[in-house]
Amino acid sequence: MNRLLSILIFSLTILSGYAQQTYHDALLFDAKGNIESITYKSGSSLPTPAIVFGQDGAINEIFQQQAVNDTLAFSTPMPIENIIRDNSNLPTLIKFKTQMPYDFSLNITWDNSVATEFRYMLVYNTKFVKQLGSNGLATGLKLYVILDDTENWDYAGMSKFSNYSYDDNGNWIKRTVTILDENNIETNTYIEERQITYF
């Protein structure tokens, strides 16, 4: 009887752990599992994100990091005002609190559980469209912009991804990024890494 009770308590503990993760916002960053944080590090001079998740799987905080050198980076919080979700609890709109002079929102389009398109308005309308390989892995992000009043999206280049490395949970932690301009001419190649912590 005691053995059966122990098994029952153990099973309930596991199930309650799964039940707590109502959201799966890490999918937005091509990651899965009981993730506490994802911190990006880039070999380019571009800013990178750091994301903190709650135990329920929802995004709690987002920071923008700007590297100064290999070991030092400035981190600026991007306070979230609201997250709108679809029927699967996946985020379709992340609205950030206004930080003058910008009012910034990120619109996300999903195909099943894969985030395939990201749109925002900052200086001008911008759209990133994710390219997927036959294995479902992201092979690149195509960039489109609207620079006038025509509402036509102009191709502005892309980032290509290759040479992935993974952690023990199957999430990528290192890849090569190749930047192509609007004429598909290679302009830069660098290594992108990310540190993932788990609950």
Side-chain angles (χ1 to χ4, degrees), residues 13-24:
T13 302
I14 292 176
L15 289 174
S16 65
Y18 281 115
Q20 287 175 0
Q21 198 167 32
T22 306
Y23 308 103
H24 301 281

Side-chain angles (χ1 to χ4, degrees), residues 145-163:
V145 294
I146 297 177
L147 299 175
D148 50 33
D149 296 327
T150 64
E151 298 301 315
N152 293 323
W153 290 102
D154 295 321
Y155 175 69
M158 74 175 296
S159 302
K160 293 179 68 174
F161 308 130
S162 60
N163 302 324

Side-chain angles (χ1 to χ4, degrees), residues 6-174:
S6 297
I7 292 173
L8 178 60
I9 292 172
F10 178 71
S11 300
L12 288 174
T13 302
I14 292 176
L15 289 174
S16 65
Y18 281 115
Q20 287 175 0
Q21 198 167 32
T22 306
Y23 308 103
H24 301 281
D25 291 358
L27 291 172
L28 183 59
F29 306 93
D30 294 333
K32 57 189 176 184
N34 201 12
I35 293 175
E36 181 180 18
S37 67
I38 303 176
T39 303
Y40 286 75
K41 182 181 178 182
S42 172
S44 76
S45 59
L46 296 173
T48 58
I51 310 97
V52 179
F53 302 88
Q55 289 193 343
D56 62 355
I59 295 173
N60 273 359
E61 297 177 289
I62 298 179
F63 298 87
Q64 178 177 282
Q65 305 172 114
Q66 183 62 61
V68 178
N69 52 46
D70 290 340
T71 58
L72 177 65
F74 289 110
S75 185
T76 305
M78 298 179 63
I80 297 171
E81 181 176 306
N82 190 24
I83 298 180
I84 296 175
R85 301 176 179 277
D86 63 14
N87 293 333
S88 300
N89 274 337
L90 294 172
T92 56
L93 173 68
I94 301 175
K95 180 172 176 52
F96 295 89
K97 292 181 180 177
T98 301
Q99 294 180 309
M100 296 301 293
Y102 300 117
D103 185 7
F104 182 58
S105 297
L106 178 66
N107 292 270
I108 305 117
T109 301
W110 295 84
D111 184 359
N112 294 318
S113 59
V114 177
T116 57
E117 185 176 300
F118 311 87
R119 287 183 295 112
Y120 60 87
M121 172 65 185
L122 201 52
V123 178
Y124 41 77
N125 279 312
T126 305
K127 175 172 69 173
F128 286 95
V129 179
K130 185 183 296 179
Q131 308 295 298
L132 299 175
S134 57
N135 58 358
L137 193 66
T139 58
L141 277 176
K142 286 190 173 182
L143 169 63
Y144 298 87
V145 294
I146 297 177
L147 299 175
D148 50 33
D149 296 327
T150 64
E151 298 301 315
N152 293 323
W153 290 102
D154 295 321
Y155 175 69
M158 74 175 296
S159 302
K160 293 179 68 174
F161 308 130
S162 60
N163 302 324
Y164 279 90
S165 298
Y166 303 88
D167 65 11
D168 293 338
N169 294 283
N171 290 315
W172 74 263
I173 53 174
K174 187 177 182 180

